[in-house]
Amino acid sequence: MKDKIYDIVIIGGGPGGIGSAIEAAAHKIGEILLIEKTDNHSNTIRKFYKDNKRVDKDYKGQVTTLQGNVEFYDGTKETTLDYFNNLLDTEKIDARFNTEVEKIIRNKETDLLEIHTSIGLIQTKNAIVAIGKMGKPNKPDYKIPPSIKAQVNFNLDKCSTNEKILVVGGGNSAAEYAYDLADQNNNVTLVYRKATFSRLNETNENLLKKYNGEEKLRLRMNTDILSLENEEDKIKVEFNDGYSVLFDRIIYAIGGTTPVDFLKSCGISVNEDEQPIFDEHHETSAKDIYVAGDIAFKSGGSIAIALNHGYHIVNNILRKRGKIFSHTEKFSKSE
């Protein structure tokens, strides 16, 4: 791969990465490569969405008009994955899974971008960073004792049934973890530091209230955690309301963090909030390196917006080449 020169290399196989790949392929932009560190595309949907979970095109009901060659509609986890499979197969997108990217450096002699990966050096004219934030979750400020780390999660991995579980957070991931675990016959408490939810979509908020009312789970609002201790192989949680409770497991869903070190290793400038700086075309301070999808959102964002990122990026690459950008036949997906 070292001698091959790609026109676009896309790092990340979520909606932003897939949208970019499909736009580039639809406009016959040249050699395209999609790199994903996990064993398949759409890892967040595969790993964090339960079976038959609804997948919405828009985020929190904010309607977004799709501008490119992908027509995406609300569906389920399964229909969404099938649809993205079909798109990638139809366009015969060259993909490398289980591949880590270390950094991107411009070769001053060739003026090409060199992507340092776990499978070797890859050269490209343009790079699109479409990585998510789930890989580096936020962690609490207080100490997690080493003796209980096996019982502390940042996703649903290793969870079973008939456990007493504390879910920490007030976002959609926390809500979905809580009622999914409750459905698996666990004793679930969700603790949130604020008195009311402010970031939940309507469906998740209604489900939480319903499950709380039916005593399928318990909500502890306006409550902070002060400390964790190991007490006879249980997690002793000290709350700021004066109570302490023993749990079998604790799951944190308190948001993700932008992988700042990786961005900086690619020459991408970040702002005071450690978010990548980019222009209206999603091109960063590092020439010919773009950002799409989750990495380009300050907070939450929709699949539709991520797909539109790909449209704008490819549009800009074509414009730089002096080509006229036009729509081609769109791909469609039924619900």
Side-chain angles (χ1 to χ4, degrees):
M1 296 181 70
K2 185 176 180 180
D3 296 329
K4 186 171 185 177
I5 298 174
Y6 288 91
D7 290 272
I8 298 179
V9 171
I10 301 155
I11 303 165
I18 293 171
S20 299
I22 297 304
E23 292 299 329
H27 291 283
K28 304 184 188 309
I29 209 163
E31 295 286 347
I32 307 160
L33 176 65
L34 177 69
I35 298 175
E36 166 59 38
K37 70 177 182 179
T38 66
D39 59 5
N40 213 329
H41 66 83
S42 309
N43 182 63
T44 297
I45 294 174
R46 292 179 192 277
K47 188 171 183 179
F48 296 99
Y49 284 46
K50 63 181 182 179
D51 292 346
N52 297 312
K53 173 178 166 53
R54 181 183 178 88
V55 179
D56 294 326
K57 174 179 79 76
D58 297 303
Y59 180 67
K60 293 186 177 181
Q62 298 176 0
V63 179
T64 301
T65 301
L66 287 166
Q67 299 171 306
N69 289 279
V70 179
E71 286 190 342
F72 184 88
Y73 301 97
D74 297 341
T76 65
K77 170 183 177 178
E78 290 75 16
T79 62
T80 298
L81 293 176
D82 285 345
Y83 178 56
F84 285 153
N85 282 334
N86 182 59
L87 288 181
L88 294 171
D89 289 344
T90 299
E91 286 300 317
K92 299 178 181 178
I93 301 299
D94 187 6
R96 297 288 187 274
F97 297 111
N98 295 310
T99 301
E100 293 276 356
V101 175
E102 178 187 347
K103 59 186 175 181
I104 305 174
I105 296 175
R106 182 175 294 280
N107 186 315
K108 294 181 180 178
E109 293 183 5
T110 63
D111 201 34
L112 292 172
L113 298 171
E114 295 182 342
I115 302 179
H116 295 246
T117 79
S118 57
I119 58 172
L121 191 69
I122 298 172
Q123 299 181 94
T124 183
K125 298 173 184 176
N126 301 276
I128 301 173
V129 178
I131 59 178
K133 299 179 181 180
M134 295 298 289
K136 291 192 174 183
N138 287 331
K139 296 184 178 181
D141 295 331
Y142 45 84
K143 181 181 178 182
I144 298 176
S147 60
I148 61 171
K149 283 189 176 179
Q151 298 156 264
V152 175
N153 293 44
F154 294 88
N155 52 45
L156 295 184
D157 287 356
K158 301 179 181 178
C159 293
S160 58
T161 60
N162 300 311
E163 288 188 317
K164 187 174 181 179
I165 301 175
L166 179 67
V167 177
V168 183
N172 289 301
S173 293
E176 289 157 13
Y177 290 171
Y179 61 70
D180 184 51
L181 289 165
D183 285 339
Q184 303 304 316
N185 296 319
N186 291 293
N187 180 340
V188 181
T189 298
L190 185 146
V191 62
Y192 186 42
R193 60 187 176 81
K194 295 183 179 180
T196 58
F197 294 110
S198 59
R199 297 182 288 125
L200 290 185
N201 62 43
E202 185 177 354
T203 300
N204 282 336
E205 185 161 8
N206 288 340
L207 271 174
L208 271 190
K209 290 178 179 177
K210 177 176 179 290
Y211 274 45
N212 183 53
E214 295 174 352
E215 297 185 351
K216 291 184 177 180
L217 58 80
R218 181 187 180 194
L219 298 179
R220 292 189 67 149
M221 307 297 290
N222 200 30
T223 305
D224 264 328
I225 295 174
L226 297 180
S227 64
L228 306 181
E229 295 179 23
N230 184 337
E231 185 169 303
E232 297 181 352
D233 293 328
K234 300 283 187 180
I235 303 173
K236 181 180 179 181
V237 181
E238 190 77 31
F239 296 102
N240 65 346
D241 58 7
Y243 290 93
S244 61
V245 182
L246 296 179
F247 293 92
D248 297 308
R249 188 173 302 278
I250 183 167
I251 300 176
Y252 290 97
I254 51 180
T257 57
T258 304
V260 178
D261 291 340
F262 173 72
L263 294 175
K264 290 181 178 179
S265 73
C266 299
I268 299 173
S269 299
V270 298
N271 60 22
E272 61 275 8
D273 295 320
E274 298 189 332
Q275 300 295 314
I277 298 171
F278 52 89
D279 64 16
E280 68 272 20
H281 307 299
H282 282 251
E283 187 170 8
T284 69
S285 56
K287 181 175 174 287
D288 300 324
I289 301 181
Y290 300 80
V291 287
D294 282 359
I295 196 71
F297 295 123
K298 183 175 181 180
S299 52
S302 70
I303 289 177
I305 294 174
L307 292 171
N308 281 347
H309 290 172
Y311 166 84
H312 289 293
I313 290 168
V314 173
N315 185 351
N316 191 55
I317 292 171
L318 289 171
R319 183 166 42 243
K320 283 185 173 184
R321 291 183 173 188
K323 293 185 178 181
I324 298 174
F325 187 79
S326 61
H327 287 279
T328 59
E329 183 179 355
K330 290 191 173 185
F331 303 92
S332 62
K333 163 183 170 289
S334 59
E335 293 190 29

